[in-house]
Amino acid sequence: MRILKAVNVIKSYKRDNQLIEVLKGIDMEIHERDFVSIMGPSGVGKSTLLHILGLLDVPSEGELIFRDRQAPTDEEERAKLRNEHIGFVFQQHYLLPEFTALENTAIPCLIGNMPEEKAYERAKACLEMVGLSHRIHHRPGELSGGEQQRVALARAIVKDPDILIADEPTGNLDKETGLKIAALLKELNEERGLAVVIATHDEEIANLANKRYRMRDGKLYPATNPLSS
Ligand SMILES: Nc1ncnc2c1ncn2[C@@H]1O[C@H](COP(=O)(O)OP(=O)(O)OP(=O)(O)O)[C@@H](O)[C@H]1O
Ligand SMILES: [Mg+2]
């Protein structure tokens, strides 16, 4: 089943009174169980695209279809869809320093007014999934970079999203720790059917995906296409 479809998505920004087209017509589909990677040089528009796919931003032109209908442009409606269906991890973990791993993970549920007991139960299960059962009462400052990113990942999946948008989630980690996080994404994808879209500069991580793309000049090319490399 299809989750997302981008149809000729164009995104432009105004800078110094000039309109700069970052995305120049992106067509792509993301289906359930997909693991999609996007590589490409810095500044090419990977984050811009992920923000649009994740309903954090809207295209300047073109269409974004979520499930079977056009994604809303109204911020409030987009936020609602986002909260219910989309998980995010970024290069930075954005964990709240005063709260424990368990509390940080439970926050999306608590904001959604889930009863506390259930929220913490879910958070605990997700921390277990990312291999952090032994660290649930630690605060971010008491965790390693890789562990912090695992908490961010647990928080991203705590509401059981349809799709996880990961924007350079290993960008701040050493190679080995980064690969472990990526392997965890792969596991969630394979074992739980979570659709994943990841932007990365790491070829090895990109190659874990079953659909690999490269961005160039505001367009997306299959990574296997020799013309795009
Ligand atoms: N809000 C904005 N206003 C103006 N220009 C922007 C805005 N957001 C992004 N851009 C520009 O769009 C281009 C693409 O940025 P984007 O962050 O999508 O690149 P990226 O591929 O994710 O790069 P990196 O690999 O460094 O993360 C850049 O030239 C950037 O300066
Ligand atoms: Mg980026």
Side-chain angles (χ1 to χ4, degrees):
M1 278 255 277
R2 195 184 67 205
I3 302 172
L4 280 170
K5 181 179 183 181
V7 186
N8 197 22
V9 162
I10 291 172
K11 183 72 181 180
S12 35
Y13 292 112
K14 212 169 182 176
R15 210 181 297 153
D16 305 329
N17 265 332
Q18 232 187 335
L19 211 56
I20 298 177
E21 209 167 72
V22 176
L23 304 180
K24 298 181 179 171
I26 301 282
D27 292 289
M28 76 185 302
E29 289 196 9
I30 298 158
H31 295 253
E32 282 170 358
R33 303 193 158 270
D34 270 352
F35 193 132
V36 179
S37 67
I38 302 172
M39 292 194 81
S42 183
V44 77
K46 301 180 297 298
S47 296
T48 303
L49 176 60
L50 291 192
H51 283 115
I52 290 173
L53 294 176
L55 310 185
L56 286 166
D57 203 353
V58 290
S60 309
E61 287 174 55
E63 267 190 297
L64 188 76
I65 318 280
F66 183 81
R67 294 290 184 190
D68 50 4
R69 62 186 64 172
Q70 182 145 11
T73 47
D74 173 72
E75 165 55 25
E76 212 170 305
E77 284 179 58
R78 270 191 289 127
K80 190 165 178 288
L81 270 186
R82 246 181 0 240
N83 292 337
E84 284 172 13
H85 301 285
I86 305 177
F88 293 92
V89 264
F90 301 99
Q91 189 165 348
Q92 258 130 2
H93 55 68
Y94 298 114
L95 298 172
L96 301 173
E98 299 303 318
F99 293 90
T100 64
L102 184 66
E103 288 163 344
N104 267 289
T105 304
I107 283 171
C109 295
L110 296 171
I111 288 173
N113 289 325
M114 190 184 285
E116 253 183 54
E117 199 179 332
K118 195 172 166 202
Y120 286 118
E121 201 176 293
R122 274 209 192 190
K124 223 171 158 177
C126 289
L127 285 165
E128 194 170 317
M129 260 182 251
V130 301
L132 273 189
S133 297
H134 57 309
R135 292 280 186 272
I136 64 173
H137 298 305
H138 286 233
R139 293 198 168 79
E142 299 160 346
L143 296 168
S144 73
E147 288 171 339
Q148 290 168 351
Q149 203 56 319
R150 281 170 195 263
V151 178
L153 184 53
R155 182 186 54 187
I157 59 172
V158 76
K159 292 188 77 182
D160 202 14
D162 303 346
I163 181 166
L164 180 77
I165 307 267
D167 192 358
E168 290 191 52
T170 66
N172 279 342
L173 305 173
D174 62 78
K175 175 87 181 171
E176 195 185 332
T177 310
L179 280 174
K180 280 188 189 154
I181 294 287
L184 196 53
L185 291 178
K186 182 80 178 166
E187 194 182 309
L188 290 168
N189 169 254
E190 284 181 344
E191 287 174 19
R192 304 182 57 85
L194 177 69
V196 176
V197 185
I198 184 173
T200 180
H201 287 285
D202 187 312
E203 190 107 36
E204 208 172 327
I205 291 174
N207 285 339
L208 292 173
N210 62 315
K211 286 187 186 171
R212 295 178 282 272
Y213 294 99
R214 200 170 276 277
M215 257 188 116
R216 191 167 50 108
D217 297 334
K219 294 212 176 203
L220 216 48
Y221 299 90
T224 45
N225 181 348
L227 293 174
S228 66
S229 55

